Amino acid sequence: MLIDNHNRTINYLRLAVTDRCNLRCNYCMPSEGINFAPNNALFTIEELSKLSSILVSQGIDKIRITGGEPFVRKDLMVLLRHLSNLEGLKDISITTNATVIGPYINELKELGIKNINVSLDAINRDTFERITRRKEYETVHANILKLITEGFNVRINFIALEGQNTQDILPILELTKDFDVCVRFLEEMPFNGGTKSFSKLKWDYKHILEHIKEGFPDYFKLESEKTSTSINYKIPGYKGTFGVIPSFSRTFCGSCNRLRISATGDVITCLYAKASSNLRDIMRGENSEEGIKAEILKAVGSRAKTGFEAQEKYKNVFSNSMTSIGG
Ligand code: SAM
Ligand code: SF4
């Protein structure tokens, strides 16, 4: 079992499989993209499979595959097949923009992968295209609908972006009327590859909730898991649920159970911290299994207590882009 220096059990790995993406969401990266890592700096699928096995042997029982866009990696299913056979791994989930997931939906179902988070920051086409800087609206909507009708547990991640999409907050909640989906409103974080910096946020989770109250005054709070980053609610009579994620306000750090590994092997113990080490060369060297285990123990043993503590220590962390961190 992995226990951090603040006595928190770390059982959840967020594994970025690539830093590449076919969208250019303006809150995540500049229009020209970022300095993407060279191919040989990314873990191969065999390395990602080995890394996952090692971490599961250390006590990780939930892995979320993220990126960049995981499905731009043509060999992603090889990793997912490996994970689905990994004893001790209870939950495999994926975060995707749902642009290119279509051809893989049937196999995902066969592998027993149920939990898919889809980023969708607009219900209106023009707003979607303005934010993502690409014309993939139809495909994303069709794929979300297919995922829902095929019985996946779909959660929609919607970042509330001042001056861009907040007019879509109430309309997107209508999705929860007939569909058993959860729409989660995230606070924007300043991890956008340096395009915009801010230290205050108008659309924080409290403001989002006040806004929702105007449209749906009777919504009520649901019980959430202790380690959940979202605070969850339901509108009476609606099939689905909604939530807010205070990713900038950071109200959930006390129960954080996560470890992040980037596609280039950086070990990130807090979104607001710099990478504590890199596993790629260790993976490619001798005695890699022992080396990786030791490095993970070291990282887990020196985590910041909260995102605020990490931010204080690593002041220039905001030049990062979420496409390399994985969200
Ligand atoms: N491409 C996939 C997607 O968009 O779902 C997975 C990678 S993306 C980096 C992972 C998550 O990070 C998404 O839910 C996205 O909305 C979120 N994200 C990206 N940039 C963000 C930012 N600046 N603030 C808050 N969340 C962000
Ligand atoms: Fe790509 Fe996801 Fe970043 Fe959008 S949020 S640019 S889909 S990695």
Side-chain angles (χ1 to χ4, degrees), residues 27-28 66-69 95-96 119 157 159 187 189 191 322 326-327:
Y27 53 79
C28 179
T66 178
E69 172 47 38
T95 300
T96 172
S119 299
N157 287 344
I159 305 181
E187 291 179 349
M189 289 180 271
F191 300 118
M322 209 59 117

Side-chain angles (χ1 to χ4, degrees), residues 296-316:
I296 293 292
L297 283 179
K298 204 164 84 191
V300 164
S302 54
R303 293 179 80 215
K305 192 166 184 190
T306 66
F308 294 104
E309 184 186 306
Q311 185 184 338
E312 190 52 39
K313 189 167 167 200
Y314 304 97
K315 291 195 179 8
N316 59 352

Side-chain angles (χ1 to χ4, degrees), residues 14 20-23 25-29 65-70 95-98 117-121 157-159 161 184 186-192 198 247 321-327:
R14 294 179 67 99
R20 276 71 161 155
C21 188
N22 56 340
L23 300 186
C25 303
N26 62 18
Y27 53 79
C28 179
M29 61 170 113
I65 299 298
T66 178
E69 172 47 38
T95 300
T96 172
N97 63 27
N117 288 3
V118 179
S119 299
L120 179 72
D121 306 290
N157 287 344
F158 178 112
I159 305 181
L161 302 161
R184 303 178 326 155
L186 282 77
E187 291 179 349
E188 184 179 10
M189 289 180 271
F191 300 118
N192 45 43
F198 52 89
S247 29
S321 160
M322 209 59 117
T323 197
S324 6
I325 310 170

Side-chain angles (χ1 to χ4, degrees), residues 56-176:
V56 169
S57 79
Q58 284 192 298
I60 292 292
D61 63 15
K62 170 176 179 175
I63 297 184
R64 173 169 298 281
I65 299 298
T66 178
E69 172 47 38
F71 289 95
V72 300
R73 201 157 167 160
K74 298 280 179 286
D75 48 6
L76 178 67
M77 295 311 291
V78 177
L79 173 65
L80 294 178
R81 282 176 214 133
H82 173 80
L83 294 183
S84 68
N85 284 318
L86 212 51
E87 215 169 303
L89 185 59
K90 296 186 193 140
D91 184 356
I92 308 165
S93 42
I94 305 174
T95 300
T96 172
N97 63 27
T99 52
V100 285
I101 194 175
Y104 305 105
I105 292 178
N106 289 343
E107 189 176 356
L108 291 171
K109 200 171 166 183
E110 280 162 27
L111 292 178
I113 297 174
K114 286 207 161 61
N115 300 319
I116 312 273
N117 288 3
V118 179
S119 299
L120 179 72
D121 306 290
I123 201 85
N124 172 280
R125 174 204 300 269
D126 291 343
T127 312
F128 175 91
E129 292 180 356
R130 221 175 297 127
I131 294 174
T132 61
R133 303 179 174 120
R134 294 290 185 273
K135 296 190 185 300
E136 294 287 351
Y137 182 83
E138 253 94 39
T139 314
V140 169
H141 275 249
N143 282 336
I144 291 177
L145 208 61
K146 176 139 195 238
L147 287 165
I148 294 170
T149 50
E150 290 292 335
F152 287 86
N153 175 21
V154 177
R155 298 192 297 192
I156 290 173
N157 287 344
F158 178 112
I159 305 181
L161 302 161
E162 189 178 355
Q164 295 205 70
N165 64 355
T166 51
Q167 69 285 359
D168 280 13
I169 291 179
L170 297 179
I172 205 167
L173 278 168
E174 290 297 347
L175 276 182
T176 71

